[in-house]
Structures are given as structure tokens and as C-alpha cells.
């Protein structure tokens, strides 16, 4: 069971909460026990799980990533000029796995699944694979 979401990002750097889209897909599969893999097939975007209750967390995370990986660095050689986006994607990673129990995602009370955009705006793909026990 595999599905692909297309998400149009609106900003250069953003964390888009896709938890509800993943939940919806899991419910359509009818899988009660298993796992879901959420994968981003892009080199300048990532997937992460983090707090989705306080929007200041996203603001702070994006700011701190910018501090660690400034967009312009005099020693960067990559012709596209988006080395910072590649580094941020490496930091967040390209996938996350979430357990499914009784048909629901096993997430902490404050956790959400995010597509992390680091070189937008763009149309991004997110691949979701459900594996039943």
C-alpha cells in the first residue's frame, strides 16, 4: 500500500504539518496494526516528527537551522547556491516511521509529522507506505 502526496510549499523555509494527511491515508488502508513510512524523495527537503502544539517551536527550529546553515557562505561551491538547503535536509533526514496500533498512528500527545521545506516554494512529493503486521 503506497501513496504519493503532492504538497505545494509557499515559503523558502517551512515546516508543513502533514499529520492529518498521513492519518487519512492510514485509515483508508484499513490497516489496524503495522507501520507507516513517510519518505521525502528530495535533496533539499526532509521529514521530521516534532511538536505541533506550539507554533513557536517551528519558528525557533527554522531560525536555529538558519543560524547553523546560513544561506550564503563564501566557501560554498555548489553552483545552484542552495548548499544550506542540502545541509538542513541532511539534518532532518528524508524519512520517518510511525507505528500503527488499533488503526491509529502511535504519536505522542504533542507530536506531529512535518514536511520540511528548505528551498521553496516548490511542489514537493511525499511518499507514504503502509506495512501491515
Amino acid at each position: 500500500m503506497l501513496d504519493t502526496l503532492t504538497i505545494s510549499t509557499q515559503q523558502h523555509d517551512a515546516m508543513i504539518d502533514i499529520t492529518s494527511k498521513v492519518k487519512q491515508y492510514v485509515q483508508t488502508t484499513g490497516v489496524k496494526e503495522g507501520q507507516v513510512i513517510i519518505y521525502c524523495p528530495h535533496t533539499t527537503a526532509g521529514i521530521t516528527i516534532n511538536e505541533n502544539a506550539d507554533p513557536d517551536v517551528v519558528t525557533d527550529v527554522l531560525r536555529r537551522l538558519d543560524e547553523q546553515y546560513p544561506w550564503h557562505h563564501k566557501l560554498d561551491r555548489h553552483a545552484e547556491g542552495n548548499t544550506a538547503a542540502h545541509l538542513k535536509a541532511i539534518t532532518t533526514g528524508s524519512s520517518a516511521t510511525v507505528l500503527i496500533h488499533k488503526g491509529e498512528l502511535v504519536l505522542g500527545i504533542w507530536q506531529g509529522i512535518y514536511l520540511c521545506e528548505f528551498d521553496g516554494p516548490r511542489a514537493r512529493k511525499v511518499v507514504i507506505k503502509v506495512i501491515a503486521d
Side-chain angles (χ1 to χ4, degrees):
M1 292 166 261
L2 183 80
D3 193 25
T4 301
L5 304 173
T6 300
I7 299 169
S8 295
T9 64
Q10 305 301 311
Q11 298 163 288
H12 188 266
D13 287 297
M15 291 174 66
I16 298 102
D17 188 342
I18 61 170
T19 311
S20 64
K21 294 179 186 302
V22 175
K23 281 182 182 179
Q24 275 182 319
Y25 180 68
V26 168
Q27 289 173 349
T28 66
T29 68
V31 170
K32 299 298 181 197
E33 301 293 329
Q35 58 189 313
V36 59
I37 300 167
I38 306 100
Y39 172 70
C40 177
H42 302 284
T43 60
T44 58
I47 297 290
T48 196
I49 296 174
N50 213 298
E51 181 176 333
N52 68 351
D54 181 352
D56 286 338
V57 172
V58 167
T59 301
D60 291 347
V61 167
L62 292 172
R63 178 182 45 79
R64 296 288 293 268
L65 284 169
D66 279 341
E67 290 171 0
Q68 290 300 122
Y69 308 116
W71 193 252
H72 299 286
H73 191 286
K74 64 183 179 180
L75 298 178
D76 286 349
R77 297 175 48 143
H78 181 44
E80 289 183 49
N82 61 355
T83 297
H86 289 280
L87 290 165
K88 291 174 184 181
I90 290 167
T91 300
T92 58
S94 60
S95 67
T97 302
V98 178
L99 299 175
I100 301 166
H101 179 61
K102 296 183 180 176
E104 298 292 329
L105 299 179
V106 179
L107 290 169
I109 192 165
W110 305 117
Q111 288 183 316
I113 304 163
Y114 288 93
L115 166 65
C116 302
E117 172 63 80
F118 300 123
D119 196 16
R122 293 180 187 234
R124 297 293 192 174
K125 302 270 187 226
V126 175
V127 181
I128 305 170
K129 171 88 172 160
V130 173
I131 303 167
D133 285 351

Coordinates of all heavy atoms in Angstrom, one line a residue, residues 11-69:
Q11 N 6.7 28.9 1.0 CA 7.8 29.8 1.5 C 9.1 29.1 1.2 O 9.2 27.9 0.9 CB 7.7 29.9 3.1 CG 6.4 30.6 3.4 CD 6.1 30.4 4.9 OE1 5.7 29.3 5.3 NE2 6.2 31.5 5.7
H12 N 10.2 29.9 1.4 CA 11.5 29.4 1.2 C 11.9 28.3 2.2 O 12.4 27.2 1.9 CB 12.5 30.5 1.3 CG 13.9 30.1 0.9 ND1 14.8 29.7 1.8 CD2 14.5 30.0 -0.3 CE1 16.0 29.4 1.2 NE2 15.8 29.6 -0.1
D13 N 11.6 28.6 3.5 CA 11.8 27.6 4.6 C 10.5 27.5 5.3 O 9.9 28.5 5.7 CB 12.9 28.1 5.6 CG 14.3 28.1 5.0 OD1 14.7 27.0 4.8 OD2 14.9 29.1 4.9
A14 N 10.1 26.2 5.5 CA 8.8 26.0 6.2 C 8.8 24.6 6.7 O 9.5 23.7 6.2 CB 7.6 26.2 5.2
M15 N 8.0 24.4 7.7 CA 7.6 23.1 8.2 C 6.1 22.9 8.1 O 5.4 23.6 8.8 CB 8.1 22.9 9.7 CG 9.7 22.8 9.8 SD 10.3 22.8 11.5 CE 9.7 21.2 12.0
I16 N 5.7 22.0 7.2 CA 4.3 21.8 7.0 C 3.8 20.6 7.7 O 4.3 19.5 7.4 CB 4.0 21.7 5.4 CG1 4.5 23.0 4.7 CG2 2.6 21.4 5.2 CD1 5.8 22.9 4.1
D17 N 2.8 20.8 8.6 CA 2.3 19.6 9.3 C 1.4 18.8 8.4 O 0.4 19.2 7.9 CB 1.4 20.2 10.5 CG 1.0 19.1 11.5 OD1 1.0 17.9 11.1 OD2 0.6 19.5 12.6
I18 N 1.9 17.6 8.2 CA 1.2 16.6 7.3 C 0.5 15.5 8.1 O 0.1 14.5 7.5 CB 2.1 16.1 6.2 CG1 3.3 15.3 6.7 CG2 2.5 17.2 5.3 CD1 4.1 14.6 5.7
T19 N 0.5 15.6 9.4 CA -0.1 14.5 10.2 C -1.4 14.1 9.8 O -1.7 12.9 9.7 CB -0.1 15.0 11.7 OG1 1.2 15.5 12.0 CG2 -0.4 13.8 12.6
S20 N -2.3 15.0 9.6 CA -3.7 14.7 9.2 C -3.8 13.9 7.9 O -4.6 13.0 7.7 CB -4.6 15.9 9.2 OG -4.2 16.8 8.2
K21 N -2.9 14.3 6.9 CA -2.9 13.6 5.6 C -2.4 12.2 5.8 O -2.9 11.3 5.1 CB -2.0 14.4 4.6 CG -2.6 15.7 4.3 CD -1.7 16.5 3.3 CE -2.1 17.9 3.0 NZ -3.4 18.0 2.4
V22 N -1.4 12.0 6.6 CA -0.9 10.6 6.9 C -2.0 9.8 7.6 O -2.2 8.7 7.2 CB 0.4 10.7 7.7 CG1 0.9 9.3 8.0 CG2 1.5 11.4 6.9
K23 N -2.6 10.4 8.6 CA -3.7 9.7 9.3 C -4.8 9.3 8.3 O -5.3 8.1 8.4 CB -4.3 10.6 10.4 CG -3.5 10.7 11.6 CD -4.2 11.6 12.7 CE -3.4 11.7 13.9 NZ -4.1 12.6 14.9
Q24 N -5.2 10.2 7.5 CA -6.3 9.9 6.5 C -5.9 8.7 5.6 O -6.7 7.8 5.4 CB -6.5 11.1 5.6 CG -7.4 12.1 6.1 CD -7.6 13.2 5.1 OE1 -6.7 13.7 4.5 NE2 -8.9 13.7 5.0
Y25 N -4.7 8.7 5.1 CA -4.2 7.6 4.3 C -4.2 6.3 5.0 O -4.7 5.3 4.5 CB -2.9 7.9 3.6 CG -2.5 6.7 2.7 CD1 -3.2 6.5 1.6 CD2 -1.5 5.9 3.1 CE1 -2.9 5.4 0.8 CE2 -1.1 4.8 2.3 CZ -1.8 4.5 1.1 OH -1.5 3.5 0.4
V26 N -3.7 6.3 6.2 CA -3.7 5.1 7.0 C -5.1 4.5 7.2 O -5.3 3.3 7.1 CB -3.0 5.3 8.4 CG1 -3.2 4.1 9.3 CG2 -1.5 5.5 8.2
Q27 N -6.0 5.4 7.5 CA -7.4 5.0 7.7 C -8.0 4.4 6.4 O -8.8 3.4 6.5 CB -8.3 6.1 8.2 CG -7.9 6.5 9.6 CD -8.6 7.7 10.1 OE1 -9.2 8.5 9.4 NE2 -8.5 8.0 11.4
T28 N -7.7 4.9 5.3 CA -8.2 4.3 4.0 C -7.7 2.9 3.7 O -8.3 2.2 3.0 CB -7.9 5.2 2.8 OG1 -6.5 5.3 2.6 CG2 -8.4 6.6 3.0
T29 N -6.5 2.6 4.3 CA -5.9 1.3 4.0 C -6.6 0.2 4.9 O -6.5 -1.0 4.5 CB -4.4 1.2 4.4 OG1 -4.2 1.4 5.8 CG2 -3.7 2.3 3.6
G30 N -7.2 0.6 6.0 CA -7.9 -0.4 6.9 C -6.9 -1.2 7.7 O -7.3 -2.1 8.5
V31 N -5.6 -0.8 7.7 CA -4.6 -1.5 8.5 C -4.8 -1.1 9.9 O -4.9 0.1 10.3 CB -3.2 -1.2 8.0 CG1 -2.1 -1.7 9.0 CG2 -2.9 -1.7 6.6
K32 N -4.9 -2.1 10.8 CA -5.1 -1.9 12.2 C -3.8 -2.0 13.0 O -3.6 -1.3 14.0 CB -6.1 -2.9 12.8 CG -7.4 -2.8 12.2 CD -8.1 -1.4 12.4 CE -9.4 -1.4 11.8 NZ -9.9 0.0 11.7
E33 N -2.9 -2.8 12.5 CA -1.6 -3.0 13.2 C -0.5 -3.0 12.2 O -0.6 -3.7 11.2 CB -1.5 -4.3 14.0 CG -2.6 -4.4 15.1 CD -2.4 -3.4 16.2 OE1 -1.3 -3.1 16.6 OE2 -3.5 -3.1 16.8
G34 N 0.6 -2.2 12.4 CA 1.7 -2.2 11.4 C 2.5 -0.9 11.6 O 2.7 -0.4 12.7
Q35 N 2.9 -0.4 10.5 CA 3.7 0.8 10.5 C 3.5 1.6 9.2 O 3.1 1.0 8.2 CB 5.2 0.5 10.7 CG 5.8 -0.4 9.7 CD 7.2 -0.9 10.0 OE1 8.0 -0.1 10.4 NE2 7.4 -2.2 9.9
V36 N 3.8 2.9 9.3 CA 3.7 3.7 8.1 C 5.1 4.4 7.9 O 5.6 4.9 8.9 CB 2.6 4.7 8.1 CG1 2.6 5.6 9.3 CG2 2.5 5.5 6.8
I37 N 5.6 4.4 6.7 CA 6.9 5.1 6.4 C 6.5 6.3 5.6 O 5.7 6.2 4.6 CB 7.8 4.1 5.6 CG1 8.1 2.9 6.4 CG2 9.1 4.9 5.2 CD1 8.8 1.8 5.6
I38 N 7.0 7.4 6.0 CA 6.8 8.7 5.3 C 8.1 9.1 4.8 O 9.1 9.3 5.5 CB 6.3 9.8 6.3 CG1 5.0 9.3 7.0 CG2 6.0 11.1 5.5 CD1 5.2 8.8 8.4
Y39 N 8.2 9.2 3.5 CA 9.5 9.4 2.8 C 9.5 10.6 1.8 O 8.5 10.8 1.1 CB 9.9 8.2 2.0 CG 11.1 8.3 1.1 CD1 12.4 8.5 1.6 CD2 10.9 8.4 -0.3 CE1 13.5 8.7 0.8 CE2 12.0 8.5 -1.1 CZ 13.3 8.7 -0.6 OH 14.4 8.9 -1.4
C40 N 10.5 11.4 1.9 CA 10.6 12.6 1.0 C 11.7 12.4 0.0 O 12.9 12.3 0.4 CB 10.9 13.8 1.9 SG 11.2 15.3 0.9
P41 N 11.4 12.3 -1.3 CA 12.4 12.0 -2.3 C 13.1 13.2 -2.9 O 13.3 13.3 -4.1 CB 11.6 11.2 -3.4 CG 10.3 11.9 -3.3 CD 10.0 12.2 -1.9
H42 N 13.4 14.2 -2.0 CA 14.1 15.4 -2.5 C 15.3 15.7 -1.6 O 15.4 15.3 -0.5 CB 13.1 16.6 -2.3 CG 11.8 16.5 -3.0 ND1 11.7 16.6 -4.4 CD2 10.6 16.1 -2.6 CE1 10.5 16.4 -4.8 NE2 9.7 16.1 -3.7
T43 N 16.3 16.3 -2.2 CA 17.6 16.5 -1.5 C 17.6 17.9 -0.8 O 18.5 18.1 -0.1 CB 18.8 16.5 -2.5 OG1 18.6 17.5 -3.5 CG2 18.9 15.1 -3.1
T44 N 16.6 18.7 -1.0 CA 16.5 20.0 -0.3 C 15.3 20.1 0.6 O 14.8 21.2 0.9 CB 16.7 21.2 -1.2 OG1 15.6 21.1 -2.2 CG2 18.0 21.2 -1.9
A45 N 14.7 19.0 1.0 CA 13.5 18.9 1.9 C 13.7 17.7 2.7 O 14.4 16.8 2.4 CB 12.2 18.9 1.1
G46 N 12.9 17.6 3.8 CA 13.1 16.5 4.7 C 11.8 16.2 5.4 O 10.7 16.8 5.2
I47 N 11.8 15.2 6.2 CA 10.7 14.7 7.0 C 11.1 14.6 8.5 O 12.2 14.1 8.8 CB 10.2 13.3 6.6 CG1 9.7 13.3 5.2 CG2 9.1 12.8 7.6 CD1 8.4 14.1 4.9
T48 N 10.3 15.1 9.4 CA 10.7 15.0 10.8 C 9.4 14.9 11.6 O 8.3 15.2 11.2 CB 11.5 16.2 11.3 OG1 12.1 15.9 12.5 CG2 10.7 17.5 11.4
I49 N 9.6 14.4 12.8 CA 8.5 14.4 13.8 C 8.9 15.3 14.9 O 10.0 15.2 15.5 CB 8.2 13.0 14.3 CG1 7.8 12.1 13.2 CG2 7.3 13.0 15.5 CD1 7.7 10.6 13.6
N50 N 8.0 16.2 15.3 CA 8.3 17.2 16.4 C 7.0 17.7 16.9 O 5.9 17.4 16.5 CB 9.2 18.3 15.9 CG 10.1 18.7 17.0 OD1 9.7 19.2 18.0 ND2 11.4 18.5 16.9
E51 N 7.1 18.7 17.8 CA 5.9 19.3 18.5 C 5.1 20.0 17.5 O 5.6 20.8 16.7 CB 6.3 20.2 19.6 CG 5.2 20.8 20.3 CD 5.5 21.7 21.5 OE1 6.6 21.5 22.1 OE2 4.7 22.6 21.8
N52 N 3.7 19.8 17.6 CA 2.8 20.5 16.7 C 1.8 21.3 17.5 O 0.8 21.7 16.9 CB 2.2 19.6 15.7 CG 1.2 18.6 16.3 OD1 1.1 18.5 17.5 ND2 0.5 17.9 15.4
A53 N 2.0 21.5 18.8 CA 1.1 22.2 19.6 C 1.4 23.7 19.6 O 0.5 24.6 19.5 CB 1.1 21.7 21.0
D54 N 2.6 24.1 19.7 CA 3.0 25.5 19.8 C 3.8 25.9 18.6 O 4.9 25.4 18.3 CB 4.0 25.7 21.1 CG 4.4 27.1 21.3 OD1 4.2 28.0 20.4 OD2 5.1 27.4 22.3
P55 N 3.2 26.8 17.8 CA 3.8 27.2 16.5 C 5.2 27.8 16.7 O 6.0 27.9 15.7 CB 2.8 28.1 15.9 CG 1.9 28.6 16.9 CD 1.9 27.5 18.0
D56 N 5.5 28.3 17.9 CA 6.8 28.9 18.1 C 7.9 27.9 18.0 O 9.1 28.3 17.7 CB 6.8 29.6 19.5 CG 6.1 30.9 19.5 OD1 5.9 31.5 18.4 OD2 5.7 31.3 20.6
V57 N 7.6 26.6 18.2 CA 8.6 25.6 18.1 C 9.1 25.6 16.6 O 10.3 25.6 16.4 CB 8.1 24.2 18.5 CG1 9.1 23.1 18.1 CG2 7.8 24.2 20.0
V58 N 8.2 25.6 15.7 CA 8.6 25.6 14.3 C 9.4 26.8 13.9 O 10.4 26.8 13.3 CB 7.3 25.5 13.3 CG1 7.7 25.8 11.9 CG2 6.7 24.1 13.4
T59 N 8.9 28.0 14.4 CA 9.6 29.2 14.2 C 11.1 29.2 14.7 O 12.0 29.5 14.0 CB 8.9 30.4 14.9 OG1 7.6 30.5 14.3 CG2 9.6 31.7 14.7
D60 N 11.2 28.7 15.9 CA 12.5 28.5 16.6 C 13.4 27.5 15.8 O 14.6 27.8 15.6 CB 12.4 28.1 18.0 CG 11.8 29.2 18.9 OD1 11.7 30.4 18.4 OD2 11.4 28.9 20.0
V61 N 12.9 26.4 15.4 CA 13.7 25.4 14.7 C 14.2 26.0 13.4 O 15.4 25.8 13.1 CB 12.8 24.1 14.5 CG1 13.5 23.2 13.5 CG2 12.6 23.4 15.8
L62 N 13.3 26.6 12.6 CA 13.8 27.2 11.4 C 14.8 28.3 11.6 O 15.8 28.3 10.8 CB 12.6 27.7 10.6 CG 11.6 26.6 10.1 CD1 10.4 27.3 9.5 CD2 12.3 25.7 9.1
R63 N 14.6 29.1 12.6 CA 15.6 30.1 12.9 C 17.0 29.5 13.3 O 18.0 29.9 12.8 CB 15.1 31.0 14.0 CG 16.1 32.1 14.4 CD 15.6 33.0 15.5 NE 15.0 32.3 16.6 CZ 15.7 31.6 17.6 NH1 17.0 31.6 17.6 NH2 15.1 31.0 18.5
R64 N 16.9 28.5 14.1 CA 18.2 27.9 14.5 C 18.9 27.1 13.4 O 20.1 27.1 13.3 CB 17.9 26.9 15.7 CG 17.4 27.7 17.0 CD 18.5 28.5 17.7 NE 19.5 27.7 18.3 CZ 19.5 27.2 19.5 NH1 18.5 27.5 20.3 NH2 20.5 26.5 19.9
L65 N 18.1 26.5 12.5 CA 18.7 25.9 11.3 C 19.4 26.9 10.5 O 20.5 26.7 9.9 CB 17.7 25.1 10.5 CG 17.3 23.7 11.1 CD1 16.1 23.2 10.4 CD2 18.5 22.7 11.1
D66 N 18.7 28.1 10.3 CA 19.4 29.2 9.5 C 20.7 29.7 10.2 O 21.6 30.0 9.5 CB 18.4 30.4 9.4 CG 17.4 30.2 8.3 OD1 17.6 29.4 7.4 OD2 16.3 30.9 8.4
E67 N 20.7 29.7 11.5 CA 21.9 30.1 12.2 C 23.0 29.1 12.0 O 24.2 29.5 11.8 CB 21.6 30.2 13.7 CG 20.8 31.4 14.1 CD 20.4 31.4 15.5 OE1 20.7 30.5 16.3 OE2 19.6 32.3 15.9
Q68 N 22.7 27.8 12.0 CA 23.7 26.8 11.8 C 24.2 26.7 10.3 O 25.3 26.4 10.0 CB 23.2 25.4 12.2 CG 23.0 25.3 13.7 CD 24.3 25.4 14.4 OE1 24.4 26.3 15.3 NE2 25.3 24.6 14.1
Y69 N 23.2 26.9 9.4 CA 23.5 26.8 8.0 C 23.0 28.1 7.2 O 21.9 28.1 6.6 CB 22.7 25.6 7.4 CG 23.0 24.3 8.1 CD1 22.0 23.6 8.8 CD2 24.3 23.7 8.2 CE1 22.2 22.5 9.5 CE2 24.5 22.5 8.9 CZ 23.5 21.9 9.5 OH 23.7 20.7 10.2

